[in-house]
């Protein structure tokens, strides 16, 4: 054997009780599991290297069901933000906006639109245009594995543009083809960002048609739905109804209940989902274990202000009359970009800027529309924010649900990113398992491993089982925890000495190795 972990406490991802065992790795797969007290004659496995795992938990690698590492994986070979957490697989292409499929025009537009998420991309060689070509690029070697969702907003940008109108029949056919091609090339499903333009301009009939294409390939639909504030329950119900009509599996992205109007209402959401599940719907969800959200400042504007694309937004902001109309929608009416809730500027903290001259704003709260307008113009829409609008009891209630999985929604850009980018998975294990007892260790590991693997249709990941790929994490249940805080959000976690991707150490003795063992994980045909 290549490697054996001796005397590990195995939490295998099934949710069942842990057990003590030796686990041997060979050729990138789990080759043998010999439990303590095995029958006489069952020898302990030997290997070229043995690691003493006494007192440590061995679990499957964690699967980040909602990641924004689309360019970070290419830009930063180290990628300790995720590798150090025990993440061995990320799902990219989230919130309906990413970098494939594109033509030259669409690529330029989407780069501008999500600069706040991923940077400008000036340091990236965009040598791909299709989903398959992007996945091929990942296959050259990255820090951790990655799966991809076809981004519906990018698809609409490509086929329709930035107009707030129904797609023509020929445009809808074009979108169907783009989604089908992405699925053929290995995407695991389709995402939407229905509070982001231009994806939010799609009506339900259009989304249903695209979901039917996804369902035909056995994929799933992952919407950032139309509201997490006023109208949140109606927005969840819309997605349940839409995917039921399309015959498509549904995975609800960062399934939170935020803003003051939703405090204490998580049980209402779970009752809605339980009713649909009991009726036969195929539904799962992900959350991060924090209360604030994170997005771009431009995202809170009303959708009509973003019609036509980034340059049109900037032109409207420069015009005093139009800017006043935007302010009225934000502060009085409640814009659809801000989830139908009048904006409370005190909840908005600047987490990152694109222009170096504006760095003094990072970490400060926005003090009103005049400041927000100035930042949007001077930073050319590249400003990222934390929005402090969540509720701890809602977070705890939702993470207990039977179809819950973990997702960081980690935006790695900015001087002061959300700590979830560096801390989500150890935060679950340290705070919500060890300190608060919200979940048992075995149940939590299942949430972070086998459940997401099942949603992705992976039959050889997500469990510690003989024959499965050796995507594994070895952690100390007594010390594991998120180092990242709001004050120091790039601090690496504690208590996770070893992480393996396909049998290779990407973290060894708490340090990042030089291994680039990650590859694309494509939809099984």
């Amino acid at each position: 054997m290549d490697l054996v972990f001796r005397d590990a406490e195995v939490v295998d991802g099934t949710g069942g009780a842990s057990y003590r065992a030796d686990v041997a790795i060979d050729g990138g797969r789990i080759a043998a599991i010999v439990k303590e007290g095995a029958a006489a004659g069952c020898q302990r496995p030997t290997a070229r290297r043995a690691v003493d795992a006494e007192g440590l938990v061995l679990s499957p690698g964690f699967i980040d069901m909602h990641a924004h590492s689309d360019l970070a994986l290419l830009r930063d070979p180290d990628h300790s933000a995720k590798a150090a957490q025990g993440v061995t697989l990320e799902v990219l292409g989230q919130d309906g906006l990413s970098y494939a499929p594109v033509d030259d025009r669409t690529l330029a537009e989407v780069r501008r639109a999500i600069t706040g998420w991923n940077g400008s991309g000036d340091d990236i060689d965009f040598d791909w245009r299709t989903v398959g070509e992007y996945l091929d690029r990942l296959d050259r070697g990255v820090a951790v594995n990655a799966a991809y969702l076809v981004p519906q907003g990018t698809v609409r940008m490509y086929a329709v543009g930035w107009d707030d109108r129904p797609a023509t029949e020929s445009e809808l056919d074009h979108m169907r083809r783009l989604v089908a091609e992405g699925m053929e090339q290995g995407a695991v499903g389709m995402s939407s960002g229905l509070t982001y333009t231009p994806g939010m301009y799609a009506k339900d009939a259009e989304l249903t048609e695209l979901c039917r294409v996804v369902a035909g390939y056995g994929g799933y639909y992952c919407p950032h739905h139309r509201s997490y504030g006023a109208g949140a329950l109606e927005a969840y119900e819309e997605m349940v109804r839409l995917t039921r009509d399309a015959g498509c599996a549904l995975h609800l992205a960062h399934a939170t209940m935020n803003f003051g109007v939703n405090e204490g209402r998580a049980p209402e959401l779970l009752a809605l989902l339980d009713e649909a599940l009991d009726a036969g719907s195929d539904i799962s969800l992900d959350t991060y274990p924090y209360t604030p959200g994170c997005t771009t400042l431009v995202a809170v504007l009303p959708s009509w202000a973003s019609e036509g694309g980034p340059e049109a937004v900037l032109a409207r902001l420069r015009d005093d009359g139009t800017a006043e109309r935007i302010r009225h929608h934000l502060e009085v009416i409640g814009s659809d970009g801000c989830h139908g809730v009048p904006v409370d500027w005190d909840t908005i903290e600047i987490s990152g800027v694109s222009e170096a001259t504006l760095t003094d704003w990072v970490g400060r709260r926005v003090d009103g529309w005049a400041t927000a307008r100035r930042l949007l113009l001077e930073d050319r829409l590249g400003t990222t924010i934390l929005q402090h609008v969540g509720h701890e009891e809602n977070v705890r209630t939702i993470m207990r649900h039977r179809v819950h999985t973990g997702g960081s929604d980690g935006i790695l850009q900015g001087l002061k990113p959300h700590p979830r980018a560096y801390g989500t998975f150890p935060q679950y294990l340290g705070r919500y398992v060890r300190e608060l007892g919200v979940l048992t260790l075995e149940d939590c590991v299942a949430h972070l491993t086998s459940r997401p693997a099942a949603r992705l249709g992976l039959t050889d990941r997500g469990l510690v089982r003989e024959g499965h790929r050796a995507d594994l994490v070895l952690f100390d249940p007594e010390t594991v925890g998120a180092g990242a805080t709001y004050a120091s959000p790039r601090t690496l976690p504690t208590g996770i000495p070893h992480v393996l991707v396909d049998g290779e150490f990407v973290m060894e003795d708490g340090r990042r190795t030089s291994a680039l063992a990650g590859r694309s994980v494509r939809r099984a045909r």
Side-chain angles (χ1 to χ4, degrees), residues 12 25 65 135 150 231 254 270 361 370 423 446:
D12 63 8
I25 313 300
M65 286 296 287
L135 297 176
V150 179
H254 38 60
L270 301 185
W361 278 101

Side-chain angles (χ1 to χ4, degrees), residues 107-186:
L107 176 60
E109 291 175 350
V110 77
R111 285 176 61 183
R112 283 289 308 281
I114 53 175
T115 293
W117 293 358
N118 298 311
S120 67
D122 290 342
D123 55 343
I124 301 293
D125 178 11
F126 289 90
D127 59 352
W128 69 86
R129 292 296 181 270
T130 69
V131 170
E133 289 168 351
Y134 175 70
L135 297 176
D136 290 343
R137 175 70 177 275
L138 298 176
D139 284 340
R140 298 179 197 173
V142 287
V144 302
N145 297 314
Y148 190 76
L149 297 164
V150 179
Q152 171 260 331
T154 301
V155 165
R156 196 172 213 273
M157 197 186 304
Y158 192 154
V160 181
W162 291 83
D163 296 339
D164 183 1
R165 62 171 176 80
T168 67
E169 191 57 40
S170 64
E171 289 167 341
L172 183 56
D173 283 342
H174 190 189
M175 287 190 282
R176 288 192 192 100
R177 289 195 303 273
L178 290 171
V179 173
E181 288 166 4
M183 297 298 295
E184 286 279 356
Q185 293 162 9

Side-chain angles (χ1 to χ4, degrees), residues 338-355:
C338 198
H339 306 277
V341 176
V343 68
D344 178 357
W345 294 113
D346 288 340
T347 68
I348 295 182
E349 176 186 356
I350 304 301
S351 61
V353 292
S354 296
E355 292 292 330

Side-chain angles (χ1 to χ4, degrees), residues 323-396:
E324 171 57 23
R325 185 180 166 210
I326 294 172
R327 183 205 65 79
H328 183 74
H329 271 79
L330 280 169
E331 296 183 349
V332 179
I333 298 173
S335 82
D336 48 5
C338 198
H339 306 277
V341 176
V343 68
D344 178 357
W345 294 113
D346 288 340
T347 68
I348 295 182
E349 176 186 356
I350 304 301
S351 61
V353 292
S354 296
E355 292 292 330
T357 57
L358 300 172
T359 54
D360 286 348
W361 278 101
V362 175
R364 294 166 60 182
R365 300 292 175 115
V366 176
D367 56 10
W369 168 240
T371 296
R373 181 188 179 192
R374 173 192 162 193
L375 283 168
L376 288 164
L377 285 168
E378 294 185 11
D379 207 24
R380 294 187 61 78
L381 313 183
T383 307
T384 53
I385 61 171
L386 302 186
Q387 202 165 8
H388 296 267
V389 292
H391 305 285
E392 177 66 19
E393 189 52 42
N394 283 351
V395 170
R396 297 187 193 188

Side-chain angles (χ1 to χ4, degrees), residues 8-11 18 53 55-59 441 445 473-477:
E9 190 67 24
V10 177
V11 177
S18 65
L56 300 178
V57 167
L58 183 70
S59 81
L441 179 59
V445 168
V473 182
L474 199 68
F475 64 90
D476 183 344

Side-chain angles (χ1 to χ4, degrees), residues 3-10 19-25 30-38 42-46 50-54 58 464 466:
L3 170 70
V4 61
F5 291 105
R6 295 272 187 225
D7 300 314
E9 190 67 24
V10 177
Y19 56 86
R20 189 179 174 94
D22 293 349
V23 179
I25 313 300
I30 299 170
I33 301 173
V34 178
K35 296 183 179 180
E36 183 180 54
C42 186
Q43 294 183 341
R44 300 185 77 177
T46 59
V51 173
D52 181 6
E54 178 77 33
L58 183 70
V464 180
E466 290 181 0

Side-chain angles (χ1 to χ4, degrees), residues 216-232:
Y217 288 93
Y220 68 92
Y221 181 42
C222 180
H224 164 132
H225 52 275
R226 298 191 193 274
S227 177
Y228 291 84

